[in-house]
């Protein structure tokens, strides 16, 4: 799904919300090569667990930056995006992002040719984001790795929703079904 | 010398000795004169010494401090001549051409004696044409051997004054060769046949037939440069231009010494004598002036120039070895830009806030990795992570939920959300490390369950059988 950067264009900043945002970001990291900068606020008690991360992406590639405040998160993200030293920058944002902030980050991502992913709380993104995703785990009696990825904003394409499965052996995402093709489900907006 | 160094800081008018543990016994390492008068000697067992002299006061020997003291002394003797070397147990000065400044050789020695006496150091000094003769005089007599009168001064001294080993010395004494003049009187051929070439070499060195240079102590390299300006400056551009010139000089020194700066301090002194500093910590040792200058840019913007800056100074406070590397056609080394990025972010949020995880050897989930500073560690090798059961993507401090039964709860509330358990996989029992008292694991054993909820969330719960209770600790997606 990320192989040809069809939905997650590099050189852009994207936003992810929902309970499975972290695994979405990790899968995106696994699809890229190079270093990952993972920026979060110091007061956040939730931290990535390397043994679990290893399913999606090599934890050794990730460098964590624990910023003091939400402003520092955005500042560090901009620096990291602009420098181009890391191939992907993930920032856990906890406050609403303004349009100015989003635009700056977008420009930084373009300048550094880096992929930026911002993990935001529901409804706190900025209009400057290239795409916005809502990701949540989905229950299935047979398969315990199902995720529902919903593309809820897209500047250069259509929206959509996919039920995907993470294949640990092949280390890639397998699209189980596109929402709307499944029997009995509501049609995804096109 | 060592005991005097300690006594200088803590004067005691009583027998005093320093002890050192040598192969499991405490032995006397150095002692003062009063202790010597009581019959103690160097190398004696400490308990014997206590038996001989019950009011003996002691301290612990610290050879490293002693070496530093000698170095300090060597630097101080630079006032007599620039050519100072450190011998095994003393200092050796090449005073050629500097004695006239002190009113001759005797004058210089008098001054040296007077100053060292005032400092409370017992010492002996000898001066002669050659290093060997000075060594002999310093230890066996003292005084000055004037030019051409070497043999007269050295002649009566014992052969031990020639810096020879104890066996050779004993053998000579047994043959009746007690003084140096006895040795000089012997035919050289027989001496060298009997004792080897070393003895004659030492004799020649003492008498000046064979040269023996003094190798001086190298000056410690100072990784600091400064610039005083004829006119005060105040523009950020001017300050960075000055900084660039300073860094160029500093980096040349660093390159010469094959060192790289790890922490740099920039001091700008203003016209009104106030000064402000900018500190930059680097994620890896570096000596590239252009890249270092870029890291100072943010600090210079916020610098208060006041009425103008008239002196700037850059010092590499922390340096590390950075060997020269052959230039490659792809220019910058791999990972340089990442290190620069870590430096830049680290100078705002703190270099200690930029971390990476390394695998650790523990079965306790929270301790299965260690967080180390990214700037001071290397990433773990691929495959270094131990393979365990399925582990959550992220964890947090355990959050309690209602429930006391050992079976997983059918319904539960967590973070103001209610969940219905659809499938529970487990338990995986993890016992605390009994050899460590971890407050988080006081509640004893943990039975970990993977709970698949009908709402979709996949959570990592545990039950503590010894203190019944359920906790949420992580999430799988």
């Amino acid at each position: 799904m990320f192989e040809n950067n069809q939905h997650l264009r590099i050189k852009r900043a994207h936003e992810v919300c929902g309970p499975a945002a972290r695994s979405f970001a990790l899968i995106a990291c696994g699809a890229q090569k190079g270093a990952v900068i993972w920026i979060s606020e110091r007061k956040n008690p939730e931290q990535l667990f390397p043994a679990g991360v290893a399913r999606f992406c090599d934890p050794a590639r990730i460098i964590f930056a624990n910023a003091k405040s939400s402003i520092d998160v955005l500042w560090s993200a901009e620096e990291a995006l602009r420098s181009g030293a890391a191939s992907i920058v993930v920032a856990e944002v906890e406050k609403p992002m303004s349009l100015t902030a989003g635009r700056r980050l977008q420009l930084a991502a373009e300048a550094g040719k880096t992929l930026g992913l911002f993990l935001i709380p529901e409804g706190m993104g900025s209009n400057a984001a290239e795409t916005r995703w809502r990701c949540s785990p989905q229950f299935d009696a047979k398969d315990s790795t199902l995720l529902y990825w919903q593309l809820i904003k897209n500047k250069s394409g259509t929206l959509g929703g996919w039920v995907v499965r993470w294949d640990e052996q092949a280390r890639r995402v397998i699209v189980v079904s596109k929402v709307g093709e499944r029997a009995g489900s509501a049609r995804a907006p096109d | 010398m060592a005991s005097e160094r300690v006594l200088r800081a803590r004067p005691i008018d009583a027998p005093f000795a320093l002890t050192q543990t040598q192969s499991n016994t405490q032995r006397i390492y150095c002692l003062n004169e009063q202790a010597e008068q009581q019959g103690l000697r160097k190398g004696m067992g400490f308990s014997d010494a206590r038996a001989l002299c019950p009011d003996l006061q002691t301290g612990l020997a610290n050879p490293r401090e002693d070496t530093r003291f000698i170095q300090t002394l060597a630097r101080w003797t630079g006032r007599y001549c620039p050519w100072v070397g450190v011998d095994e147990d003393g200092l050796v000065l090449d005073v050629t051409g500097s004695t006239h400044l002190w009113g001759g050789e005797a004058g210089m020695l008098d001054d040296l004696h007077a100053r060292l006496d005032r400092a409370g150091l017992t010492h002996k000094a000898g001066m002669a044409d050659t290093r060997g003769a000075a060594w002999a005089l310093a230890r066996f007599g003292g005084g000055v051997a004037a030019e051409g009168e070497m043999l007269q001064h050295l002649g009566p001294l014992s052969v031990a004054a020639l810096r020879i080993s104890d066996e050779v010395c004993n053998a000579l004494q047994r043959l009746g060769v007690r003084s140096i003049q006895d040795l000089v009187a012997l035919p050289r051929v027989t001496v060298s046949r009997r004792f080897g070439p070393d003895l004659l070499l030492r004799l020649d060195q003492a008498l000046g037939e064979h040269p023996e240079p003094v190798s001086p102590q190298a000056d410690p390299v100072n990784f600091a440069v400064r610039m005083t300006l004829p006119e005060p400056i105040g523009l950020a551009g001017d300050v960075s231009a000055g900084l660039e010139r300073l860094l160029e000089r500093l980096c040349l020194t660093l390159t010469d010494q094959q060192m790289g700066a790890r922490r740099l301090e920039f001091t700008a002194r203003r016209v009104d004598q106030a000064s402000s500093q900018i500190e930059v910590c680097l994620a890896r040792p570096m000596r590239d002036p252009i890249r270092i200058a870029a890291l100072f840019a943010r600090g210079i913007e916020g610098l208060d120039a006041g009425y103008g800056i008239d002196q700037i100074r850059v010092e590499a406070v922390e340096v590390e070895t950075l060997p020269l590397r052959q230039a490659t056609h792809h220019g910058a080394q791999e990972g340089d830009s990442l290190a620069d990025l870590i430096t830049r972010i680290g100078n705002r949020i703190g270099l200690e806030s930029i971390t990476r995880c390394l695998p650790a050897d523990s079965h306790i989930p929270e301790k299965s990795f260690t967080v180390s500073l990214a700037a001071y560690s290397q990433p773990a090798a691929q495959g270094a992570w131990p393979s365990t059961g399925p582990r959550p993507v992220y964890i947090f401090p355990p959050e309690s939920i209602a429930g006391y039964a050992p079976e997983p709860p059918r319904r539960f509330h967590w973070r103001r959300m209610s969940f219905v358990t659809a499938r529970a996989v487990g338990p995986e029992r993890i016992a605390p490390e009994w050899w460590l008292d971890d407050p988080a694991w006081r509640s004893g054993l943990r039975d970990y369950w993977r709970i698949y909820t009908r709402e979709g969330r996949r959570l990592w719960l545990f039950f503590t059988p010894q203190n019944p209770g359920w906790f949420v600790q992580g999430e799988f997606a």
Side-chain angles (χ1 to χ4, degrees):
Chain A
M1 184 141 177
F2 295 140
E3 277 76 13
N4 48 8
N5 299 319
Q6 187 190 342
H7 295 286
L8 216 52
R9 293 169 63 195
I10 55 165
K11 297 203 255 175
R12 291 287 186 279
H14 306 264
E15 289 173 358
V16 193
C17 63
R22 282 198 183 89
S23 59
F24 179 89
L26 286 172
I27 290 171
C29 294
Q32 302 276 341
K33 285 189 178 60
V36 177
I37 309 264
W38 193 289
I39 306 160
S40 57
E41 246 181 273
R42 208 171 290 172
K43 62 175 195 240
N44 190 352
E46 299 177 352
Q47 67 176 135
L48 286 189
F49 189 57
V53 168
R55 274 187 292 150
F56 302 109
C57 138
D58 182 12
R61 281 172 52 203
I62 306 179
I63 292 169
F64 296 94
N66 303 309
K68 283 182 278 240
S69 63
S70 51
I71 295 294
D72 277 355
V73 170
L74 295 177
W75 181 88
S76 312
E78 189 190 356
E79 280 294 316
L81 284 170
R82 199 177 289 284
S83 89
S87 62
I88 176 161
V89 177
V90 184
E92 297 185 19
V93 184
E94 286 170 27
K95 287 199 176 139
M97 284 213 288
S98 65
L99 178 66
T100 321
R103 189 76 198 126
R104 275 193 78 91
L105 294 166
Q106 196 68 258
L107 290 171
E110 276 170 41
K113 300 187 175 59
T114 317
L115 173 64
L117 282 181
F118 291 84
L119 312 188
I120 53 164
E122 186 79 35
M124 289 198 182
S126 81
N127 270 337
E130 177 77 15
T131 61
R132 187 173 306 132
W133 298 75
R134 184 184 294 135
C135 307
S136 46
Q138 207 173 38
F139 176 71
D140 187 277
K142 292 190 206 90
D143 195 344
S144 62
T145 60
L146 284 194
L147 296 166
Y148 178 42
W149 289 352
Q150 203 180 357
L151 186 54
I152 53 177
K153 174 179 191 290
N154 192 355
K155 270 192 174 174
S156 51
T158 54
L159 304 180
W162 297 265
V163 176
V164 298
R165 184 164 67 81
W166 174 249
D167 189 334
E168 212 169 313
Q169 264 75 48
R171 294 188 87 79
R172 61 189 291 273
V173 173
I174 292 167
V175 178
V176 176
S177 70
K178 193 168 176 192
V179 174
E181 292 167 0
R182 211 166 36 156
S185 71
R187 276 202 68 80
D190 283 318
Chain B
M1 200 280 300
S3 60
E4 273 169 355
R5 177 183 64 77
V6 177
L7 287 175
R8 266 162 63 87
R10 186 163 59 102
I12 295 170
D13 193 22
F16 177 82
L18 288 176
T19 61
Q20 194 185 28
T21 312
Q22 293 167 348
S23 57
N24 270 347
T25 35
Q26 280 212 316
R27 294 193 178 278
I28 289 188
Y29 174 72
C30 187
L31 64 174
N32 71 351
E33 215 168 299
Q34 278 148 309
E36 253 169 12
Q37 280 164 7
Q38 298 272 341
L40 311 187
R41 26 167 240 286
K42 202 173 158 182
M44 192 183 231
F46 177 49
S47 29
D48 296 349
R50 280 282 289 278
L52 274 175
C53 175
D55 55 347
L56 178 70
Q57 300 200 30
T58 55
L60 277 181
N62 187 348
R64 251 173 86 174
E65 276 299 305
D66 294 340
T67 321
R68 264 186 50 192
F69 188 66
I70 280 272
Q71 300 284 356
T72 317
L73 216 53
R75 216 167 59 223
W76 173 76
T77 44
R79 70 199 306 281
Y80 294 105
C81 71
W83 209 257
V84 182
V86 176
D87 220 352
E88 314 99 70
D89 59 343
L91 299 175
V92 45
L93 282 73
D94 189 346
V95 292
T96 312
S98 39
T99 45
H100 67 280
L101 299 170
W102 303 87
E105 290 157 351
M108 181 187 263
L109 268 194
D110 287 346
D111 185 82
L112 182 75
H113 283 309
R115 283 175 193 275
L116 286 177
D117 280 339
R118 212 182 312 150
L121 296 173
T122 321
H123 60 276
K124 289 173 183 166
M127 195 183 283
D129 283 356
T130 63
R131 184 177 171 176
W135 194 93
L137 280 177
R139 284 160 183 79
F140 296 84
V144 184
E147 212 176 333
E149 298 170 4
M150 194 98 77
L151 205 53
Q152 288 161 23
H153 279 87
L154 284 188
L157 299 185
S158 153
V159 281
L162 284 177
R163 294 180 286 172
I164 50 178
S165 65
D166 285 347
E167 295 110 65
V168 176
C169 186
N170 285 341
L172 281 170
Q173 304 254 1
R174 227 170 276 145
L175 290 176
V177 182
R178 298 197 188 280
S179 61
I180 293 177
Q181 59 201 12
D182 293 347
L183 183 63
V184 176
L186 291 178
R188 291 175 69 91
V189 180
T190 47
V191 172
S192 70
R193 196 177 298 153
R194 174 70 177 80
F195 295 103
D198 279 359
L199 178 60
L200 283 180
L201 177 71
R202 286 303 190 193
L203 183 66
D204 289 347
Q205 281 177 342
L207 296 178
E209 319 263 314
H210 203 278
E212 186 186 7
V214 175
S215 51
Q217 293 256 291
D219 271 340
V221 196
N222 187 17
F223 295 110
V225 281
R226 70 172 177 188
M227 186 195 275
T228 312
L229 305 159
E231 287 283 323
I233 55 171
L235 294 175
D238 296 348
V239 176
S240 17
L243 174 71
E244 267 164 38
R245 282 195 211 169
L246 286 185
L247 282 175
E248 247 165 56
R249 277 163 53 199
L250 180 67
C251 290
L252 273 183
T253 320
L254 287 169
T255 316
D256 280 350
Q257 300 294 324
Q258 303 214 5
M259 291 290 207
R262 199 71 206 247
R263 194 152 61 86
L264 289 152
E265 206 173 70
F266 172 79
T267 312
R269 205 190 64 188
R270 301 207 302 251
V271 185
D272 52 0
Q273 300 297 313
S275 63
S276 36
Q277 289 180 334
I278 307 168
E279 203 184 63
V280 168
C281 294
L282 303 174
R284 68 154 72 172
M286 210 184 340
R287 54 161 177 256
D288 182 351
I290 299 164
R291 277 167 54 206
I292 296 177
L295 299 171
F296 273 106
R298 203 173 70 87
I300 286 176
E301 296 281 309
L303 202 65
D304 178 15
Y307 295 106
I309 293 165
D310 66 352
Q311 193 193 71
I312 51 177
R313 179 172 187 272
V314 181
E315 184 182 358
V317 188
E318 252 177 60
V319 288
E320 265 179 31
T321 48
L322 178 64
L324 292 171
R325 279 184 297 195
Q326 191 170 359
T328 49
H329 58 274
H330 33 89
Q333 294 285 335
E334 189 86 359
D336 266 356
S337 56
L338 191 61
D340 281 4
L341 175 65
I342 292 175
T343 304
R344 213 157 39 240
I345 298 181
N347 280 313
R348 171 149 175 167
I349 68 171
L351 210 53
E352 71 285 347
S353 311
I354 301 183
T355 55
R356 61 162 58 99
C357 292
L358 297 178
D361 192 11
S362 173
H363 63 275
I364 302 285
E366 297 96 314
K367 292 188 193 158
S368 65
F369 63 96
T370 53
V371 175
S372 60
L373 299 190
Y376 292 91
S377 63
Q378 289 298 317
Q382 200 151 15
W385 295 94
S387 53
T388 47
R391 288 284 180 262
V393 165
Y394 68 96
I395 57 167
F396 38 82
E399 293 171 13
S400 171
I401 56 167
Y404 299 98
E407 298 81 40
R410 287 222 188 88
R411 300 164 173 280
F412 59 94
H413 289 269
W414 171 64
R415 290 187 181 176
R416 299 188 190 171
M417 292 174 280
S418 55
F419 294 101
V420 179
T421 307
R423 197 148 65 93
V425 183
E428 178 189 352
R429 176 162 288 190
I430 295 180
E433 293 169 326
W434 55 263
W435 56 94
L436 283 178
D437 185 28
D438 185 352
W441 281 74
R442 287 259 167 82
S443 51
L445 297 172
R446 290 181 182 183
D447 285 341
Y448 277 94
W449 291 81
R450 273 176 285 149
I451 304 287
Y452 299 90
T453 62
R454 205 159 281 287
E455 286 73 19
R457 304 286 286 260
R458 300 191 270 272
L459 300 170
W460 208 37
L461 271 65
F462 68 84
F463 175 69
T464 47
Q466 289 164 339
N467 282 305
W470 281 91
F471 300 87
V472 187
Q473 206 190 357
E475 190 169 2
F476 284 92

